[in-house]
Amino acid sequence: MTSIKLKLKESEVQQLKEVARSFDNKPGELINVLHKAQEIFGYLPAEVQEVVASELNVSVAKVYGVVTFYSFFTMLPRGRYPISICTGTACYVRGAEKVLDEFKRLLKVPVGETTADGKFSITCLRCVGACGLAPVVMVGDKTYGRVTTDGVKGILKEYEDEV
Amino acid sequence: MELIKINIDNRTVEVEKGTTIFHAAKKLGIDIPTLCYMNLGDLNIEHKPGGCRVCVVEVEGRRNLAPACATECYDGMVVHSHSMRVLNARKTVLELILSDHPFDCLICAKSGTCDLQNMAIKMGVRSIPFQGEKSTYKPDFSPAIIREMDKCIMCRRCETMCNDFQTVGVLSGIHRGFESVVAPAFERDLDHSECTYCGQCVAVCPTGALTEVDHTTQLIRDLADPAKKVVVQTAPAVRAALGEAFGMEPGTLVTGKMVAALRRLGFDYVFDTDFAADLTIMEEGTELLDRLTRFLDGDKEVKLPMLTSCCPGWVNFFEYHFPDMRDIPSTARSPQQMFGAIAKTYFADQIETKRDEMVVVSVMPCVAKKYECTREEFKVDDNPDVDYSISTRELAMLIKRSNMDFASLPDEEFDMPMGESTGAAVIFGTTGGVIEAAVRTAYELHTGKTLEKIDFEQLRGIKGTRSASVDFDGVEIKIGIAHGLGQARKLLDDIKAGKSQYHAIEIMACPGGCVGGGGQPLHHGNPEIIKARQKAIYQEDAGKPIRKSHENPSIIKLYDEFLGKPMSEKAHHLLHTHYFDKKRKDVLLD
Ligand code: SF4
Ligand code: SF4
Ligand code: SF4
Ligand code: FES
Ligand code: FES
């Protein structure tokens, strides 16, 4: 899968080891450590998973199993503004797919990928627990509710001026 | 211990609290069908993910059906194991599994021994009402094992074997829902993982998702080629299990019939890996004595305990997981490889045949041997010492394909000289056997005395790790034994921590040793089958006229005429090897 070997920064690896230590290097803390790792690196490339595996003394296969099981973990680098579209049942029923299609159309990237300028990336999430606001879209930490296809342009515009 | 009463299919049984419905039913002789469930009994592994739901039963007073394999009984529980509701549900479960399964039974390597197929037959499935998209995966071909994940039913038994029993950790369930599958990290091929090729995942996989690489076609071609001298060697554990493929009871010895069958298949020489096992003892036993003597003389550099090295799954394991300890195992090659090296030199000269005109085939209870014989260090001018290895299962298939009625074959003898062997060699097929064979020889060589009692009961058994001490005329030799790589890991961790008190440790990767190998007729995770084969091995040993390796006349002759003495330069060159550091170094730093 990964033919190009990624080089991790020594400082980031140290930070990651620190995180593992703060969880007492317990295998049971795998999910928590992965969360922190994703915060540090923005995503979880194979190389990061290898470090996590050896720090917590679990197999790399197991780590990969957990990373692929939960949709909030990603192995692809994210944009500066990661867009997450909830495709849980409530959101789906209320048109999440059309909203997703609109994002894909405007940004010209498929789900899981990042725009060429590294600005936006699109991922799908399962229910984020805000079903009352369905369909829900998140950009970074900011949540948008009752999003319509027509509203998508407006959301993207908010980030237009940023460099 | 609290006893409770439960009623299954209108019969009452008393069981211990905590017993599952499945086990309670067993006590009544009721066989509730299972698919994902696996119980390794004495080996202390019970896999009950409760995932497949084939084992569901009706419990009075409970709304949902309960999986019998994972539901504990309570006092007064009333269970129906074959009510209409149960039978319908079971069939539906199966139909759902089959709706995402290729209909390849006619051409599938597992056909006939497939648990899923048997279950479909048992449940009388005649159509698949649910039709939809099927998951497809790229097949993965390694030198020993083929993964065809289209046929995976996510029972996750392989994961339990790889992670809990072997502690290799190559396999894990990945993704979720429809896309879920068992795979190595990052969906790499097995060949690019730390797989040891122990084959225990293959041994327990209920379907054709995991199978061994098939060499039978190649073999048929070689046998038909008049320009080739085809030599076969058969490992000790094969004779204790081959009969099962022909409906015989586990533990039936079929040595003579196996030899007859091989001769009828057209091999030019039918030899025995046991010959090479005797040779292994000469080399490995001498190496052990050498290390011991140096140790007793106060040499601080000497590496003890010495670990055995005849199991290629185990060799792979320490190369990946304990490479810094790779100077501890004996340097003796496995019997399979010793055989090949001698066959293509000493024996080839005798029959005036050139190396590349000879094909050496091995019949092994093992899939790791398929990988072992492809190792570069076991080749001369690109020509391998052992050309390829077929499993016990493949041999059974070939015999059937060649229209033989196995049961009525006469008992025949191996050819000479490489068919001559002792009882010490036969017991290589079971856990504890290699070290017992080594002790028989090392004791006599060291003390110059004749062993009074040849049977070392204290080294035998099925417990995962065992220890014993043997009195070498005043010197106490401490011996450790482990089978299953998880058990081996424990002993290795001890050595690393400087806590090991052993002088010698025998390690085999498979449960029960080679008798439970990944290439044998499937043990389906049933330890009783393994124990029966173990018994057969000791029975063959007891019946042999010569039971110590150093008394094998053909071995004595081999040293006289060709090798000189054990650990001589020639012996080193042909019979010893070196190991590699294969630890994955994936993380690059800036
Ligand atoms: S795995 Fe079993 S059911 Fe599937 S194709 Fe092979 S024999 Fe048939
Ligand atoms: S062959 Fe052994 S090590 Fe390899 S995947 Fe199977 S169980 Fe794991
Ligand atoms: S590969 Fe075989 S043993 Fe492993 S989960 Fe699939 S069906 Fe079960
Ligand atoms: S389904 Fe989208 S928030 Fe619950
Ligand atoms: S055998 Fe009980 S759930 Fe699979």
Side-chain angles (χ1 to χ4, degrees):
Chain A
M1 145 149 228
T2 36
S3 47
I4 317 157
K5 275 266 179 68
L6 197 75
K7 286 198 173 167
L8 301 179
K9 282 207 197 77
E10 174 75 46
S11 60
E12 285 173 332
V13 172
Q14 282 316 324
Q15 206 182 338
L16 183 53
K17 289 187 174 170
E18 208 47 62
V19 167
R21 241 191 314 273
S22 73
F23 286 100
D24 295 332
N25 298 73
K26 281 206 191 105
E29 300 284 359
L30 177 56
I31 295 187
N32 290 326
V33 173
L34 286 173
H35 267 297
K36 293 277 184 207
Q38 186 153 305
E39 273 171 29
I40 298 173
F41 296 93
Y43 67 118
L44 296 170
E47 292 74 7
V48 167
Q49 296 182 42
E50 305 257 6
V51 176
V52 171
S54 81
E55 287 304 302
L56 301 188
N57 199 16
V58 293
S59 72
V60 193
K62 178 108 264 148
V63 175
Y64 180 69
V66 168
V67 169
T68 54
F69 187 84
Y70 294 103
S71 52
F72 42 76
F73 292 130
T74 171
M75 285 186 63
L76 294 165
R78 293 188 304 175
R80 256 174 297 131
Y81 302 106
I83 302 169
S84 317
I85 294 131
C86 174
T87 48
T89 316
C91 292
Y92 191 84
V93 171
R94 308 208 16 205
E97 201 177 11
K98 286 211 191 77
V99 171
L100 170 63
D101 286 343
E102 183 66 5
F103 273 112
K104 290 201 284 196
R105 192 180 69 83
L106 291 176
L107 296 175
K108 302 188 184 61
V109 285
V111 176
E113 286 187 21
T114 305
T115 52
D117 58 4
K119 193 164 173 185
F120 294 107
S121 57
I122 311 179
T123 47
C124 291
L125 292 180
R126 274 164 241 261
C127 182
V128 294
C131 307
L133 294 174
V136 174
V137 169
M138 291 173 66
V139 181
D141 290 336
K142 196 161 170 200
T143 308
Y144 300 82
R146 304 213 173 80
V147 180
T148 58
T149 38
D150 293 342
V152 170
K153 253 201 186 105
I155 294 178
L156 291 177
K157 227 186 174 85
E158 284 185 35
Y159 302 89
E160 206 160 60
D161 307 333
E162 312 263 347
V163 198
Chain B
M1 157 207 327
E2 197 183 333
L3 285 178
I4 53 173
K5 272 205 181 95
I6 107 157
N7 182 297
I8 308 177
D9 298 344
N10 298 319
R11 286 156 64 207
T12 307
V13 63
E14 219 176 32
V15 294
E16 257 174 59
K17 204 177 163 195
T19 308
T20 59
I21 301 177
F22 173 79
H23 286 296
K26 251 221 154 107
K27 270 188 106 172
L28 285 169
I30 300 169
D31 234 339
I32 297 176
T34 57
L35 208 48
C36 64
Y37 177 77
M38 173 176 78
N39 187 358
L40 294 190
D42 293 345
L43 302 167
N44 282 330
I45 297 263
E46 191 175 25
H47 171 76
K48 43 179 176 185
C52 77
R53 306 262 142 184
V54 157
C55 64
V56 286
V57 293
E58 200 170 343
V59 178
E60 280 187 16
R62 175 178 162 144
R63 210 152 46 90
N64 304 330
L65 298 178
C69 72
T71 311
E72 288 185 7
C73 307
Y74 54 78
D75 197 40
M77 191 184 223
V78 181
V79 176
H80 302 284
S81 85
H82 60 88
S83 62
M84 187 164 98
R85 186 168 163 221
V86 167
L87 290 182
N88 283 339
R90 229 172 247 162
K91 198 162 160 190
T92 307
V93 162
L94 210 58
E95 286 166 352
L96 272 171
I97 297 175
L98 293 176
S99 72
D100 186 18
H101 196 90
F103 298 152
D104 281 355
C105 287
L106 280 174
I107 51 169
C108 177
K110 208 57 162 281
S111 196
T113 48
C114 170
D115 290 348
L116 181 61
Q117 189 184 46
N118 286 338
M119 197 64 70
I121 294 170
K122 196 165 170 179
M123 292 300 138
V125 176
R126 288 293 169 269
S127 65
I128 315 290
F130 316 99
Q131 299 288 355
E133 199 193 334
K134 293 189 183 188
S135 27
T136 50
Y137 305 89
K138 186 171 71 56
D140 169 12
F141 299 93
S142 73
I145 293 170
I146 304 173
R147 296 172 56 243
E148 281 180 85
M149 288 299 118
D150 292 0
K151 294 176 184 166
C152 172
I153 58 168
M154 279 307 277
C155 69
R156 306 182 78 159
R157 289 186 193 179
C158 53
E159 239 187 293
T160 293
M161 289 314 273
C162 193
N163 299 328
D164 302 343
F165 188 73
Q166 300 294 47
T167 66
V168 172
V170 160
L171 299 174
S172 171
I174 59 163
H175 297 298
R176 62 155 85 196
F178 182 67
E179 286 158 17
S180 60
V181 67
V182 174
F186 316 120
E187 284 145 89
R188 289 192 179 116
D189 293 340
L190 263 195
D191 200 18
H192 293 104
S193 74
E194 295 171 350
C195 173
T196 65
Y197 298 125
C198 71
Q200 283 307 311
C201 53
V202 177
V204 301
C205 178
T207 73
L210 298 173
T211 52
E212 76 267 45
V213 171
D214 186 333
H215 284 103
T216 55
T217 313
Q218 171 77 36
L219 176 54
I220 291 171
R221 201 179 302 139
D222 285 335
L223 287 171
D225 187 343
K228 283 182 176 156
K229 288 264 176 281
V230 190
V231 176
V232 68
Q233 53 160 322
T234 62
V238 176
R239 65 207 69 188
L242 180 63
E244 290 166 36
F246 300 93
M248 299 177 185
E249 280 298 308
T252 311
L253 268 178
V254 294
T255 319
K257 292 189 194 310
M258 173 183 76
V259 173
L262 289 167
R263 209 162 269 139
R264 282 162 177 69
L265 281 173
F267 286 100
D268 296 293
Y269 298 92
V270 181
F271 287 149
D272 199 348
T273 311
D274 287 16
F275 168 86
D278 279 330
L279 188 55
T280 304
I281 288 302
M282 297 305 290
E283 295 296 324
E284 204 168 328
T286 306
E287 190 183 353
L288 176 62
L289 275 184
D290 179 57
R291 289 201 206 180
L292 276 175
T293 318
R294 274 164 43 212
F295 172 74
L296 294 173
D297 290 347
D299 184 345
K300 295 268 177 299
E301 297 290 288
V302 63
K303 298 283 177 190
L304 280 178
M306 190 179 86
L307 310 175
T308 56
S309 57
C310 29
C311 167
W314 148 238
V315 169
N316 290 338
F317 183 71
F318 73 70
E319 285 185 330
Y320 281 123
H321 295 269
F322 294 88
D324 42 333
M325 292 164 76
R326 65 189 189 280
D327 53 350
I328 309 183
S330 159
T331 56
R333 293 184 191 179
S334 71
Q336 159 172 285
Q337 293 309 136
M338 286 203 183
F339 182 98
I342 296 297
K344 286 200 174 173
T345 53
Y346 174 71
F347 182 66
D349 286 350
Q350 281 185 6
I351 58 168
E352 291 170 6
T353 299
K354 286 209 221 68
R355 184 178 180 93
D356 53 6
E357 286 165 358
M358 181 184 271
V359 180
V360 174
V361 181
S362 69
V363 185
M364 292 286 147
C366 176
V367 295
K369 296 261 166 45
K370 284 183 187 278
Y371 162 78
E372 185 188 36
C373 61
T374 67
R375 279 177 173 253
E376 287 306 317
E377 62 271 28
F378 299 141
K379 290 179 184 166
V380 176
D381 300 332
D382 220 29
N383 179 292
D385 290 344
V386 175
D387 290 84
Y388 46 87
S389 166
I390 65 168
S391 65
T392 312
R393 294 191 291 267
E394 287 171 89
L395 175 59
M397 217 152 62
L398 272 174
I399 295 173
K400 288 176 185 168
R401 209 177 293 168
S402 308
N403 316 326
M404 279 178 246
D405 176 22
F406 188 74
S408 61
L409 288 175
D411 285 341
E412 292 183 8
E413 299 282 337
F414 285 107
D415 292 318
M416 294 292 266
M418 294 182 73
E420 180 155 45
S421 71
T422 72
V426 179
I427 56 177
F428 264 61
T430 165
T431 169
V434 173
I435 209 78
E436 179 169 342
V439 166
R440 288 182 193 173
T441 287
Y443 177 93
E444 296 204 347
L445 296 185
H446 180 72
T447 63
K449 294 184 182 164
T450 307
L451 261 182
E452 294 298 322
K453 203 173 150 297
I454 287 187
D455 298 289
F456 287 85
E457 296 295 341
Q458 67 268 42
L459 301 174
R460 302 182 181 181
I462 191 88
K463 236 183 95 209
T465 51
R466 306 190 293 286
S467 51
S469 47
V470 179
D471 177 23
F472 268 40
D473 221 12
V475 186
E476 193 193 13
I477 304 297
K478 292 205 176 106
I479 290 169
I481 297 167
H483 58 116
L485 296 171
Q487 303 292 337
R489 183 186 285 277
K490 288 189 203 158
L491 297 187
L492 289 173
D493 283 338
D494 279 355
I495 299 177
K496 223 172 179 170
K499 287 194 298 193
S500 183
Q501 22 108 358
Y502 299 118
H503 298 109
I505 297 178
E506 175 205 283
I507 296 174
M508 295 190 192
C510 290
C514 304
V515 282
Q520 295 278 56
L522 302 172
H523 61 67
H524 296 279
N526 179 353
E528 294 311 314
I529 297 182
I530 297 174
K531 284 197 271 183
R533 294 174 187 165
Q534 221 180 4
K535 240 171 103 188
I537 292 276
Y538 286 118
Q539 180 194 331
E540 173 124 325
D541 166 35
K544 285 264 191 179
I546 306 176
R547 298 181 61 197
K548 297 169 214 157
S549 299
H550 56 287
E551 292 174 358
N552 179 336
S554 295
I555 292 288
I556 296 173
K557 201 161 157 228
L558 172 68
Y559 278 107
D560 281 351
E561 289 177 356
F562 187 65
L563 290 170
K565 57 184 190 4
M567 313 246 314
S568 68
E569 209 185 303
K570 196 161 201 169
H572 256 293
H573 176 64
L574 290 173
L575 307 178
H576 290 256
T577 186
H578 49 279
Y579 307 110
F580 301 88
D581 178 356
K582 291 191 182 164
K583 200 166 195 105
R584 292 241 321 279
K585 293 174 191 70
D586 254 17
V587 183
L588 300 180
L589 289 174
D590 250 348

